[in-house]
């Protein structure tokens, strides 16, 4: 197993001009957000983890000395493009599976990721994504499943019909890919005509369209899907981390 962590975000909603820093270096329970993410996959060798950096990249690289990094290029934008940069730098071989995590989502548990890996291997999936069932109206993509339980498609909230908005299974944004199938899909990604970005979810669209097996592993802990975009988010995440230690 190899891993790619997307950690290039600026965190514009923090509005902290006096103390600018990459979002992933914001502290929660005494540790950078990125540190919580790397700890969740401490069973993967550091040399098999590639961290994709962007905003204030030198600061991130200095704070996590000993890890491998690649700077996101300038000939593309979006999470799909960042993943492609990480994939090229990681140079995985054909029999590798690749886990993709977000550097600003620090509450995912190591045990959850391990179970997700086991299911991915047992199902011989092209992709296994982490999902969560929530009764709250959250701005996450909805998971549409086939009759056999595999994933048919992911519909972003803004594109959902009124019926699809009632679906409670949400896409968390963490994935495990078969390396060969991921390489193939990365080569077929299409730029969004409105935003001029490449989206990570486009990879799942390609795989589902080509009838590759895509599965969703459901976490029962809704907090694992919480990302950090504001100081309020940071405070809430910190409280959860502290309570977990008690």
């Amino acid at each position: 197993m190899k891993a790619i962590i997307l950690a290039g975000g600026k965190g514009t909603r923090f509005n902290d001009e006096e103390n600018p820093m990459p979002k992933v270096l914001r502290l929660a329970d005494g540790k950078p957000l990125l540190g919580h993410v790397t700890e969740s996959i401490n069973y993967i060798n550091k040399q098999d983890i590639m961290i994709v950096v962007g905003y204030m990249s030198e600061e991130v690289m200095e704070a996590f000395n000993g890890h491998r990094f690649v700077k996101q290029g300038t000939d593309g934008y979006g999470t799909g493009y960042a993943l492609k940069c990480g994939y090229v730098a990681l140079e995985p071989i054909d029999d590798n599976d690749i886990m993709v995590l977000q550097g600003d989502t620090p509450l995912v548990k190591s045990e959850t990721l391990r179970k997700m890996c086991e299911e991915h291997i047992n199902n011989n999936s092209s992709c296994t994504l982490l999902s969560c069932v929530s009764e709250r109206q959250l701005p996450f993509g909805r998971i549409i499943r086939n009759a056999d339980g595999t994933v048919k498609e992911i519909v972003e909230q803004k594109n959902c019909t009124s019926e699809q908005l009632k679906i409670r299974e949400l896409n968390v944004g963490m994935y495990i890919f078969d390396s060969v199938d991921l390489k193939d899909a990365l080569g077929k990604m299409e730029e969004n005509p409105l935003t001029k970005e490449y989206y990570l979810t486009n990879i799942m669209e390609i795989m589902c369209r080509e009838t590759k097996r895509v599965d969703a592993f459901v976490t029962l802990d809704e907090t694992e899907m919480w990302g950090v975009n504001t100081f309020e988010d940071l405070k809430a995440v910190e409280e959860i981390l502290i309570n977990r230690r008690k």
Side-chain angles (χ1 to χ4, degrees):
M1 179 68 65
K2 293 181 180 288
I4 297 172
I5 303 175
L6 307 183
K10 182 177 181 180
T12 54
R13 279 182 276 179
F14 275 94
N15 296 320
D16 190 7
E17 296 180 2
E18 294 183 1
N19 185 30
M21 69 171 65
K23 181 164 54 171
V24 296
L25 292 189
R26 297 285 175 184
L27 297 181
D29 194 21
K31 185 182 299 182
L33 298 178
L34 181 57
H36 292 288
V37 178
T38 57
E39 187 174 275
S40 71
I41 52 170
N42 58 13
Y43 49 88
I44 300 179
N45 190 296
K46 278 187 180 182
Q47 293 306 304
D48 290 327
I49 300 172
M50 184 63 65
I51 303 175
V52 184
V53 291
Y55 176 69
M56 296 181 71
S57 58
E58 299 299 329
E59 283 78 357
V60 180
M61 294 164 68
E62 182 178 351
F64 286 84
N65 184 34
H67 283 81
R68 296 178 65 191
F69 295 91
V70 61
K71 294 182 181 179
Q72 186 169 331
T74 57
D75 56 337
Y77 301 94
T79 52
Y81 175 71
L83 175 56
K84 187 173 184 178
C85 293
Y87 183 93
V88 171
L90 192 59
E91 297 182 329
I93 55 178
D94 289 351
D95 60 352
N96 289 141
D97 285 317
I98 299 174
M99 183 182 295
V100 178
L101 302 174
Q102 309 293 333
D104 63 350
T105 309
L107 294 176
V108 65
K109 299 172 183 175
S110 178
E111 62 198 70
T112 298
L113 297 176
R114 284 181 181 272
K115 291 176 181 177
M116 184 178 166
C117 289
E118 291 173 6
E119 184 159 304
H120 175 80
I121 293 168
N122 290 338
N123 290 335
N124 195 27
S125 303
S126 293
C127 171
T128 302
L129 58 91
L130 186 63
S131 70
C132 181
V133 175
S134 174
E135 293 304 317
R136 297 190 297 158
Q137 283 293 341
L138 298 171
F140 289 76
R142 268 49 174 191
I143 305 296
I144 314 295
R145 289 184 182 257
N146 293 305
D148 64 358
T150 58
V151 176
K152 180 180 180 181
E153 62 179 321
I154 303 168
V155 182
E156 295 302 320
Q157 184 192 40
K158 61 184 177 182
N159 298 324
C160 283
T161 65
S162 57
E163 285 300 309
Q164 289 171 335
L165 285 173
K166 296 177 183 178
I167 296 172
R168 301 269 56 89
E169 187 178 6
L170 310 177
N171 179 29
V172 174
M174 303 179 198
Y175 310 88
I176 301 173
F177 292 102
D178 172 86
S179 178
V180 175
D181 291 333
L182 176 58
K183 181 179 181 180
D184 180 67
L186 286 170
K188 297 174 180 177
M189 277 195 307
E190 299 175 352
E191 183 182 73
N192 184 288
L194 296 178
T195 64
K196 305 302 181 183
E197 294 185 49
Y198 294 92
Y199 291 122
L200 209 163
T201 49
N202 184 221
I203 294 171
M204 271 64 68
E205 292 173 7
I206 293 167
M207 289 183 172
C208 290
R209 188 168 64 235
E210 297 182 349
T211 64
K212 304 284 188 182
R213 180 169 180 134
V214 178
D215 286 292
F217 178 80
V218 183
T219 173
L220 301 179
D221 183 352
E222 187 177 325
T223 66
E224 291 191 271
M225 68 192 294
W226 291 9
V228 175
N229 292 302
T230 65
F231 283 113
E232 290 76 15
D233 293 341
L234 189 64
K235 182 179 179 181
V237 162
E238 182 168 55
E239 289 177 356
I240 293 170
L241 288 167
I242 291 172
N243 286 331
R244 284 183 180 178
R245 288 193 287 104
K246 292 181 179 178

